[in-house]
């Protein structure tokens, strides 16, 4: 891959990550451009080291822009009781034709703290301790948020594929709720 193609791919990846974390397009684009400018200024000696650390710095900066939203969402997450929510059957699997837009939609339907916990721990492969530091939360809360995020992502993707919950009880919380 050519250097310009690599830079374009890196910019697109950083933008999408910031957008999924924050759900805000313009600040995500600004952050991705700034991160690339920073990386381009690096000399070859430092570039490998900087690439390894710059992604975490980038994530921390993106999260700083939504710190108040994260705090409110963390409080909602902490107050949630463990509920048995309807999930697709065990034999359900994600359709191979699922698009990036569908995945984005399913992720953005999740409240911000569980979504960030899920993205950072599962998609980025960070430890729960590192995620707790980035999200300014306790490890147990991050684990709870990760589980909520995984359940909601599964439900959202299954719904996109046509699955309908048979749950009729009013205590079942869905991701379509608007969080205040």
């Amino acid at each position: 891959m050519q250097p310009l193609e690599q830079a374009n791919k890196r910019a697109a990846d950083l933008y999408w990550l910031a957008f999924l974390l924050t759900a805000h397009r313009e600040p995500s684009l600004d952050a991705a451009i700034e991160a690339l400018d920073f990386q381009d200024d690096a000399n070859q000696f430092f570039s490998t080291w900087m690439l390894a650390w710059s992604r975490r710095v980038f994530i921390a900066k993106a999260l700083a822009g939504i710190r108040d939203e994260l705090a409110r969402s963390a409080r909602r997450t902490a107050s949630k009781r463990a509920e048995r929510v309807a999930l697709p059957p065990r034999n359900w699997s994600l359709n191979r034709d699922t698009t990036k837009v569908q995945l984005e939609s399913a992720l953005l339907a999740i409240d911000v703290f569980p979504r960030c916990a899920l993205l950072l721990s599962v998609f980025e492969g960070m430890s729960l301790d590192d995620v707790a530091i980035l999200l300014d939360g306790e490890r147990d809360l991050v684990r709870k948020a990760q589980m909520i995020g995984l359940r909601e992502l599964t439900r959202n993707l299954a719904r996109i594929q046509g699955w309908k919950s048979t749950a009729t009880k009013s205590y079942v919380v869905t991701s379509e709720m608007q969080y205040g």
Side-chain angles (χ1 to χ4, degrees):
M1 191 179 290
Q2 299 296 326
L4 183 58
E5 290 175 42
Q6 287 176 332
N8 287 340
K9 183 181 179 341
R10 201 166 49 243
D13 289 347
L14 289 174
Y15 165 74
W16 198 48
L17 175 59
F19 178 63
L20 291 175
L21 289 169
T22 67
H24 301 291
R25 289 195 187 279
E26 193 169 322
S28 299
L29 182 59
D30 292 344
I33 291 169
E34 185 179 321
L36 285 177
D37 286 345
F38 177 71
Q39 291 172 9
D40 288 343
D41 290 342
N43 67 37
Q44 188 59 37
F45 178 75
F46 288 111
S47 66
T48 304
W49 177 82
M50 289 178 75
L51 285 174
W53 283 100
S54 65
R55 192 164 181 98
R56 282 191 193 228
V57 171
F58 172 80
I59 289 167
K61 189 168 187 169
L63 293 173
I66 60 165
R67 191 61 56 199
D68 292 340
E69 286 178 66
L70 276 171
R72 287 190 300 273
S73 179
R75 287 189 296 273
R76 286 190 297 271
T77 301
S79 68
K80 277 188 177 182
R81 290 180 304 186
E83 298 174 347
R84 296 202 42 93
V85 296
L87 291 172
R90 289 190 183 269
N91 65 349
W92 175 83
S93 64
L94 185 61
N95 186 326
R96 288 180 170 246
D97 297 330
T98 302
T99 66
K100 186 175 180 177
V101 171
Q102 290 171 319
L103 176 60
E104 180 178 289
S105 176
L107 284 164
L108 291 175
I110 302 169
D111 193 16
V112 66
F113 192 83
R115 181 178 69 235
C116 289
L118 173 67
L119 286 166
L120 296 175
S121 64
V122 175
F123 289 74
E124 288 292 310
M126 292 183 184
S127 71
L128 286 179
D129 292 326
D130 288 347
V131 175
I133 290 167
L134 285 167
L135 295 181
D136 195 24
E138 297 295 322
R139 189 176 196 277
D140 289 341
L141 179 60
V142 170
R143 182 182 299 283
K144 180 180 181 180
Q146 178 191 46
M147 292 300 113
I148 290 169
L150 282 169
R151 277 195 310 265
E152 289 187 17
L153 178 61
T154 301
R155 288 171 54 93
N156 295 345
L157 288 170
R159 285 180 178 148
I160 288 170
Q161 290 180 198
W163 173 76
K164 295 192 183 345
S165 171
T166 56
T168 57
K169 295 183 179 180
S170 61
Y171 67 82
V172 176
V173 178
T174 64
S175 61
E176 286 83 21
M177 290 179 59
Q178 292 296 317
Y179 296 99

